[in-house]
Amino acid sequence: MRTSTPDSPHISGRWRRFGTAAVATAALALAGLGTAAQANADTATAPHKVSAKTIAAQVAKAHVRYEKACAATPKKGFAACNALRVTGGTTAFMEKQAALKGIAPKTVQPNAASASPTGYGPSDIQSAYGLTSAAASNGSGETVAIVDAYDDPNAEADLATYRSYYGLPACTTSNGCFKKVSQTGSTTSLPTADSGWAGEESLDLDMVSATCPNCNILLVEAKSASDANLGTAVNEAVKLGAKFVSNSYGGSESSSDTTYDAQYYNHPGVAITASAGDSAYGAEYPAASQYVTAVGGTSLSADSSSRGWTESVWHTSSTEGTGSGCSAYDPKPSWQTDSGCSTRMIGDVSAVADPATGVSVYDTYQASGWNTYGGTSASSPIIASVYALAGTPGSSDYPAQYPYNAAGTSALNDVTSGSNGTCDTDYFCNAETGYDGPTGWGTPQGTSAFSAS
């Protein structure tokens, strides 16, 4: 987070803040739940079936623990990534696999990567958001840009492992699908490597791959996590032709934000997404920018409904959960009409972010293989990729408006339960029917809420 605290602007990813989240139980014992490709490798084996009651009791004791991937509280003018790496407990994906088999679930070993996935994979994400058909047929020729700080030397190799495991088409420098550059566009003069941001980069790249397997991916690495350098990297991504740019970082608001808006985030015809934050109720920048799609976070669990999934506001504790709130500085965009906030309201839409219901990521620079990640760093690239599946935005459009055009329709899953804190105006921090701060207008159900038409 960007604050006036006189911390160093860059801390390697070794600071830890552990969270606990009780995970879903009884619903996961129901029959007929979907499964990800090759996903059963991480569940325990047993000589006999155990009852759903036994599974539920065991899961109820298994809380997810996680660590913050990047720096804790950078000094003013710097940002932190919004990635959270699971270090222990039982994830929703592991529970789902155990329930399908009628066995007791294993747990993530503390501080240890796994030999196979422990989080949701591409088929889960596509199923949850009604994207299976679009992911198979759309996205060719579109480029999703990922903007992060510092270098991940293993980015391309780790991406190849993720895509190969899940049977996705190769995305490499040699076949023209993948490109990694610095904030100046150089492919050779790259920033200093950083383990914490490397985990973030792997998360972002894998979520683009999971959501839009046919998209090209451009990774733009800022030379530091300063607002100016990250903003310069956004400009470079747009200069290089990306029409979809994901920003999984943020910090506290400042009076400079409207200046940053004009310098870095005002790009008509480009869908720019930004994480709403991982510190529960409260506004964060650049999610507060009037020119971006502010992406909140949910808890996502399989259930027996016709959709097959259910979501609520992600909230682990008073300091851990999706961000939301009324901006102190940024003006309200014309398409945002909620009455309780006269300035920019966060957020617009949302997607999975709870580490307890987290996504599978392959990373060998911060960790040593398969990990489960959460945070709104997961939801931002997912939404950027949904925009890409929906097609190129109108050249003069601000695509943040598109979901508002579909508000209240079946094109969005309205999230109506949960809260991310305490607030004076109810919808700022509580899920409601229709628009609310923590989840915006909801989560994707297909691509139509993210297209110009």
Side-chain angles (χ1 to χ4, degrees):
M1 299 293 291
R2 202 171 27 143
T3 71
S4 57
T5 305
D7 280 350
S8 64
H10 162 231
I11 305 172
S12 184
R14 288 292 167 262
W15 179 86
R16 289 174 170 79
R17 178 177 66 189
F18 290 98
T20 59
V23 288
T25 55
L28 294 168
L30 295 171
L33 301 181
T35 179
Q38 305 184 31
N40 61 3
D42 233 41
T43 55
T45 57
H48 61 278
K49 299 281 185 177
V50 296
S51 70
K53 182 177 180 180
T54 300
I55 294 173
Q58 190 158 337
V59 166
K61 299 177 183 177
H63 300 285
V64 166
R65 299 181 297 280
Y66 53 84
E67 66 181 15
K68 198 172 181 73
C70 298
T73 309
K75 70 179 184 180
K76 184 178 180 180
F78 286 75
C81 75
N82 289 308
L84 303 169
R85 186 173 79 94
V86 172
T87 58
T90 302
T91 67
F93 172 80
M94 297 168 76
E95 296 162 30
K96 185 177 73 166
Q97 296 307 305
L100 285 168
K101 291 183 171 184
I103 60 175
K106 293 178 68 175
T107 62
V108 175
Q109 296 301 310
N111 303 311
S114 301
S116 55
T118 53
Y120 291 139
S123 65
D124 296 299
I125 293 168
Q126 294 168 22
S127 170
Y129 297 124
L131 302 171
T132 303
S133 177
S137 58
N138 297 1
S140 295
E142 304 287 10
T143 296
V144 179
I146 296 299
V147 171
D148 283 314
Y150 305 105
D151 180 40
D152 176 4
N154 299 352
E156 184 170 2
D158 288 347
L159 176 65
T161 299
Y162 180 91
R163 295 177 72 102
S164 175
Y165 182 91
Y166 286 111
L168 306 178
C171 187
T172 65
T173 301
S174 61
N175 71 10
C177 174
F178 177 75
K179 187 174 184 179
K180 180 172 77 169
V181 300
S182 71
Q183 69 185 59
T184 64
S186 174
T187 58
T188 55
S189 181
L190 298 171
T192 303
D194 177 82
S195 62
W197 281 88
E200 168 69 60
E201 290 177 39
S202 290
L203 167 61
D204 293 342
L205 296 174
D206 291 353
M207 289 309 95
V208 175
S209 298
T211 310
C212 187
N214 296 320
C215 283
N216 295 332
I217 305 176
L218 171 66
L219 174 59
V220 186
E221 298 178 331
K223 67 180 180 181
S224 79
S226 73
D227 297 323
N229 285 324
L230 288 163
T232 298
V234 172
N235 286 342
E236 185 64 24
V238 176
K239 177 183 175 183
L240 292 175
K243 296 298 183 183
F244 315 94
V245 183
S246 175
N247 305 278
S248 291
Y249 57 83
S252 58
E253 295 185 280
S254 83
S255 58
S256 300
D257 289 348
T258 53
T259 300
Y260 295 146
D261 280 355
Q263 289 179 329
Y264 306 127
Y265 298 100
N266 185 3
H267 293 286
V270 180
I272 301 177
T273 62
S275 299
D278 294 349
S279 300
Y281 175 65
E284 179 170 298
Y285 190 87
S289 171
Q290 61 183 308
Y291 299 120
V292 311
T293 300
V295 186
T298 68
S299 298
L300 172 71
S301 296
D303 71 0
S304 59
S305 67
S306 58
R307 178 188 170 196
W309 300 87
T310 184
E311 289 176 276
S312 60
V313 175
W314 166 44
H315 185 224
T316 302
S317 71
S318 61
T319 58
E320 297 166 331
T322 184
S324 69
C326 184
S327 173
Y329 302 102
D330 242 81
K332 199 173 199 69
S334 61
W335 57 85
Q336 196 173 53
T337 58
D338 61 295
S339 60
C341 172
S342 61
T343 54
R344 170 67 157 121
M345 184 68 197
I346 302 169
D348 298 313
V349 290
S350 50
V352 60
D354 186 349
T357 67
V359 296
S360 189
V361 174
Y362 191 81
D363 171 59
T364 59
Y365 197 72
Q366 181 182 33
S368 58
W370 290 102
N371 296 265
T372 295
Y373 271 83
T376 52
S377 279
S379 54
S380 178
I382 289 173
I383 295 299
S385 302
V386 175
Y387 274 113
L389 290 173
T392 305
S395 60
S396 61
D397 292 354
Y398 290 99
Q401 182 175 1
Y402 295 167
Y404 287 78
N405 297 335
T409 73
S410 59
L412 293 161
N413 301 303
D414 191 9
V415 181
T416 59
S417 64
S419 169
N420 67 343
T422 302
C423 54
D424 293 331
T425 304
D426 195 57
Y427 76 89
F428 283 18
C429 66
N430 296 294
E432 297 184 350
T433 300
Y435 180 82
D436 57 71
T439 66
W441 285 107
T443 62
Q445 185 59 40
T447 63
S448 60
F450 298 85
S451 70
S453 56

